[in-house]
Amino acid sequence: MNPPGIDGMKVNSVTSPPRGAVSAMALAFFIVAMVAMFATQRDYGVVSDVSNYFFNSIRQLAWFEDLWQALLDGQPSAALNRESVLEHWRVDPARIPHPPLSREISGLSWLLFRDVFDTVGAYRVGVMLAYAALTAACATFTANSSGSITAGVGAGLTVLTMPVLFAHGHFAHTDLFLAAFWFASASCLYRWVEDSRPAMLFTAGLLLGAALATKFTGLLLAPVLGLWLVLRRPRDAAWAILILAVCAAAVFFLSNPVLWVDPKLGIADYFGAGLERAEGIGGRIQTQYFGQFYTYRGPWHYPFVWTAIVIPPTLLLSIVAGLFDRRRWGVIGFCLLNAAVLYAALLMPSAPMHDGVRLFLAAFPFFAVLSGIGVAFLADRLGQLLPSNYRPKMPLVTAVVLLALFLPAAGAVVRTHPYQLSYFNLLIGGIHGAAEKGLEVTNLKEVLNDEALEDLSALIPDDAVLDAGFLFEEICFYQNLDRAPRGWSVEVEWPRSDPVGSKLNLICAGDPVRAPAAVDRPSGTPDFLLVLNRKAMWRPMELAINGQNAQPYYQVKLDGVPLLSLYRLQ
C-alpha cells in the first residue's frame, strides 16, 4: 500500500519491452561481464589505497569473530564497546577516510573465496560482482525507460567497451562500488516515479544508504533524488523523501559500528573526510595537467577535458546522438541531472580533482544510458532512410550500427589491456598526444601487475636495496603475499610538506606481516629505483634521473610510452 498522497501517477508513456526479453538480456550481460572480469583479474596490479583497505578489512573480520565469541560467552559488551570498535574500525582515518561498506563487501568476498582465488583475486570478487551487476542494470534500466531492447543492448555494451569502466571493474577501492550503488538507487527511484511500485522506492532508499556508506561523494545523490521527486511527483515528494531518508539512514548506521558507540565521532569523521580533505594527506596529492602541476585539484575544466578524452570516439558519437532523441527526454533529462550534480560539485574549492576520471566515475553509467539511447536513435534514423519495402531489414540495420559503434571501442579495450586507464582517444592524439601535452598517462599503479613483478623479481637480486618511490606501499604489500621477494630491502626517502624541507624515511619491515614503518635514520643507498610515470609525484631523485636521460634497466610501455621504469643505480 502506498503512503498517503502517493497516487500512482505515471509521468512517462514509454511502453517497456517484454519482461522476458529484458530479463534474458540482463542475465546475458551479467554473465558476460563476470566472465570478462574473472578471466582478466590477475592481469591488473593492486591500485592505490587497496593495500590499506585490505588490512582494514582483516581487522573488521577479526572484530566480527570477537563479537561472535562474545555473544557465545554471553558478554556482548566485550566486543560492543568503544575501545574495541575504534581499534578495529577506525584505523588511521587520515589514510582511510571513507566509510567502511566497500571494505566490508571486499572483506566478505575474501573470506568466502580465499580458497578459490589468490588473496587479491578473492578480495576483488565483490567489486567484480558490482561491475557485472552495473552492466546488467544499465542495460535493464535503459531498455525499460526508453522502451527499446536495442537501447538496452547499446547501454550494456557501452559499459563493457568503455576502457575506464572495464578497468575499474577490477579494483577493490570505493569508486566502482559508489558508481554501482548510485546508479542502482537512481534507477529504482526513476522506476518508482514511473509505476509507483513501493518496492522500488524502498530499494532506492536502501541503495542511497549504501552510496552514503561507501564514500562522502554519495551524499550528492540525495539532492538528485529529491529534486527529481519535486519535479516529477511534487504531490508525493515529501512522503517519498521521508521514506528515502529513513531507509538510507538505516543502512548508513547499521554498516558503520563507529556510529553505534560514538555517533558524534562517526559523523565528524564522515563530514571531515569530505569537507576537510584538502587539509589532510589528500591535500598533498599532486596532479599534472597540460604540463602544469597542481596540488589537490586542477582547474575547473579538468573533469570535462578528462571525460572527453578517455571515451572512445564511437561511444562519444552514440552519447551525443542520444541527446537528440526527443521521444525519450524524460530519461535523458534524468541522466543529465545526475551527471550535472557530480560535475557541479567538482567546481567547489573543497572538491579534489586528480587521478583522471576516478573521482567522478559515478557519472559514467549515465553516459552509458545515453549511449544506448543514441544507438537506438541512430538505428531508427538510418532505418527511415530505407525505402518502405526494405523496412523489414531493420534488424540488419541495427546490427550494422552496433558493430560500427562497438567494434572500435572493444578494440580499444583489447589493444590497451591491461592498461585501459592509459587509454586516450583521438581528441588528444592518443597516449602519445597525452604524454606530449603534459597529461598523466598512468596514475593508479595498476601497471605493477604479476607480469611486471615477475620481470622485476628476475632482474633485481634478492638482497638488493630498492627505492620503490610512489609504489612503496604496493611493493610492501606484494612482499606480504610472496609475489615480490622478501629479501628486497625496500626503503624510501619522501619529502615532507614543511617549511624546513625535512624528509620522511620509510622502510618495509615486519615478520611475518610487512608494513610501512618510519625510521629515524637516513634511507639506505638504493641499488635500484622504481619509477611510475606520474611526474607530479616524482621526487628530486626521479626528476634528476629523467633530466639526465638515463637509460632504464627495464620498462613497461603502452604504444611506446613508458608507464613504469626500473633504473639500476649501483
Side-chain angles (χ1 to χ4, degrees):
M1 180 177 177
N2 290 334
I6 295 181
D7 57 11
M9 177 185 63
K10 295 199 174 195
V11 298
N12 200 319
S13 60
V14 171
T15 302
S16 296
R19 181 174 297 180
V22 174
S23 298
M25 176 190 64
L27 179 62
F29 272 117
F30 183 86
I31 293 173
V32 169
M34 277 302 299
V35 170
M37 292 297 101
F38 279 102
T40 57
Q41 68 89 9
R42 285 295 298 254
D43 299 339
Y44 297 84
V46 170
V47 296
S48 299
D49 299 326
V50 169
S51 59
N52 294 322
Y53 293 172
F54 174 80
F55 287 114
N56 188 241
S57 295
I58 298 302
R59 280 178 176 264
Q60 294 172 357
L61 291 170
W63 181 82
F64 279 113
E65 185 177 354
D66 292 345
L67 176 61
W68 178 248
Q69 187 60 51
L71 292 172
L72 293 177
D73 295 339
Q75 297 179 326
S77 61
L80 286 171
N81 63 78
R82 187 177 188 277
E83 181 180 359
S84 177
V85 168
L86 296 188
E87 178 186 352
H88 290 85
W89 291 87
R90 191 177 183 267
V91 181
D92 196 2
R95 300 190 65 82
I96 307 176
H98 306 298
L101 183 58
S102 66
R103 301 187 298 282
E104 292 169 355
I105 296 171
S106 297
L108 179 62
S109 77
W110 172 80
L111 184 66
L112 295 175
F113 296 99
R114 58 182 172 172
D115 295 329
V116 180
F117 302 101
D118 64 282
T119 299
V120 175
Y123 196 67
R124 285 173 169 170
V125 169
V127 77
M128 292 190 293
L129 285 169
Y131 174 80
L134 177 62
T135 307
C138 281
T140 301
F141 172 72
T142 308
N144 286 329
S145 60
S146 68
S148 168
I149 285 288
T150 298
V153 171
L157 288 175
T158 300
V159 178
L160 286 173
T161 61
M162 194 176 289
V164 66
L165 282 176
F166 187 89
H168 274 278
H170 302 83
F171 305 150
H173 55 186
T174 56
D175 302 285
L176 196 282
F177 281 116
L178 175 62
F181 289 138
W182 182 307
F183 183 83
S185 175
S187 60
C188 285
L189 190 280
Y190 184 94
R191 293 306 303 169
W192 178 79
V193 170
E194 292 280 305
D195 56 29
S196 295
R197 282 186 292 167
M200 289 291 100
L201 181 61
F202 285 96
T203 303
L206 295 174
L207 290 166
L208 169 61
L212 296 173
T214 299
K215 199 171 185 178
F216 181 79
T217 311
L219 194 62
L220 297 173
L221 175 58
V224 171
L225 302 184
L227 181 58
W228 192 251
L229 285 169
V230 169
L231 291 175
R232 304 304 297 263
R233 298 283 290 263
R235 293 170 53 191
D236 308 324
W239 282 102
I241 289 172
L242 178 61
I243 290 173
L244 291 176
V246 171
C247 292
V251 174
F252 183 73
F253 178 80
L254 292 173
S255 64
N256 190 352
V258 174
L259 292 170
W260 307 353
V261 298
D262 195 335
K264 184 177 179 180
L265 178 63
I267 294 298
D269 282 347
Y270 186 75
F271 283 95
L275 302 178
E276 300 172 6
R277 187 78 182 274
E279 301 171 11
I281 293 175
R284 298 199 292 270
I285 297 175
Q286 291 189 312
T287 191
Q288 183 188 26
Y289 182 67
F290 287 111
Q292 300 295 314
F293 295 103
Y294 299 88
T295 300
Y296 187 62
R297 54 181 284 113
W300 67 268
H301 42 80
Y302 178 96
F304 303 102
V305 171
W306 266 95
T307 299
I309 63 178
V310 301
I311 299 176
T314 54
L315 300 188
L316 285 175
L317 173 62
S318 59
I319 291 169
V320 172
L323 299 175
F324 289 89
D325 193 340
R326 296 181 180 179
R327 298 169 300 173
R328 293 159 176 143
W329 260 115
V331 65
I332 292 170
F334 185 65
C335 291
L336 293 177
L337 173 63
N338 280 270
V341 168
L342 276 163
Y343 284 88
L346 292 169
L347 301 179
M348 298 173 61
S350 61
M353 285 194 285
H354 50 74
D355 295 349
V357 302
R358 178 177 71 85
L359 299 179
F360 45 97
L361 192 71
F364 279 67
F366 296 96
F367 296 149
V369 175
L370 294 176
S371 173
I373 293 173
V375 169
F377 177 74
L378 290 172
D380 289 345
R381 284 303 176 95
L382 287 175
Q384 291 173 11
L385 298 177
L386 295 174
S388 57
N389 56 320
Y390 281 93
R391 293 293 167 82
K393 302 290 186 181
M394 269 303 297
L396 179 61
V397 173
T398 301
V400 169
V401 170
L402 290 170
L403 289 173
L405 292 174
F406 293 106
L407 272 184
V413 172
V414 173
R415 183 179 59 79
T416 58
H417 184 76
Y419 313 121
Q420 285 93 354
L421 294 188
S422 298
Y423 168 81
F424 295 90
N425 62 31
L426 296 176
L427 294 179
I428 198 71
I431 190 172
H432 286 279
E436 291 170 359
K437 292 175 177 64
L439 293 172
E440 290 179 342
V441 295
T442 186
N443 50 50
L444 289 187
K445 311 179 187 179
E446 79 288 349
V447 62
L448 187 64
N449 57 12
D450 278 1
E451 182 179 356
L453 287 168
E454 290 174 5
D455 292 342
L456 294 172
S457 298
L459 293 170
I460 302 174
D462 286 354
D463 59 351
V465 178
L466 172 65
D467 185 330
F470 192 49
L471 294 156
F472 171 75
E473 287 186 344
E474 286 66 36
I475 289 290
C476 194
F477 181 66
Y478 284 128
Q479 287 185 316
N480 277 304
L481 304 182
D482 293 321
R483 286 163 71 171
R486 283 179 171 261
W488 288 350
S489 179
V490 184
E491 306 196 11
V492 170
E493 187 178 80
W494 203 264
R496 294 180 186 267
S497 57
D498 56 33
V500 298
S502 61
K503 296 176 180 178
L504 177 65
N505 298 303
L506 300 170
I507 64 171
C508 186
D511 189 27
V513 178
R514 287 179 172 260
V519 294
D520 58 0
R521 62 165 176 81
S523 297
T525 302
D527 301 308
F528 293 88
L529 174 67
L530 191 60
V531 180
L532 184 73
N533 192 8
R534 182 174 178 172
K535 296 179 180 178
M537 299 303 294
W538 283 2
R539 302 161 298 163
M541 181 179 291
E542 286 93 344
L543 292 170
I545 288 286
N546 185 67
Q548 296 168 5
N549 293 318
Q551 290 300 310
Y553 194 54
Y554 167 79
Q555 281 190 319
V556 175
K557 298 181 179 181
L558 177 63
D559 293 341
V561 176
L563 304 178
L564 178 72
S565 301
L566 177 71
Y567 293 91
R568 184 166 189 167
L569 306 180
Q570 301 290 332

